[in-house]
Amino acid sequence: MKISAPLLRGPQVRGCVEGDAEPSVLTPELVQRFCRGLLPLDRLVTTYALADFDRAVADQRAGLTLKPVLLPGT
């Protein structure tokens, strides 16, 4: 019987939430960058009415928006 190489190396699976960031450190840093004009949220975020869900997904897949945000009630 042949044993596959990954089994011999003992691979591990590790999850990641928010890039393992510390919110108490990351949030103030992001706010400072935004205030200094170093975090162009207006170029990164595009808002869509909830009814435009399909368009938001299509725009993201086409590279037209980086972060589509759905607004309920619009």
Side-chain angles (χ1 to χ4, degrees), residues 6-57:
L7 292 177
L8 295 175
R9 285 183 265 138
Q12 297 179 351
V13 176
R14 181 171 185 251
C16 176
V17 176
E18 295 180 15
D20 289 338
E22 287 288 332
S24 62
V25 175
L26 179 61
T27 302
E29 175 66 24
L30 293 176
V31 170
Q32 288 177 359
R33 288 180 187 212
F34 176 76
C35 291
R36 292 192 312 249
L38 300 175
L39 183 60
L41 294 178
D42 58 323
R43 291 180 25 218
L44 302 175
V45 176
T46 305
T47 58
Y48 299 86
L50 188 57
D52 291 331
F53 175 84
D54 291 332
R55 183 174 147 231
V57 171

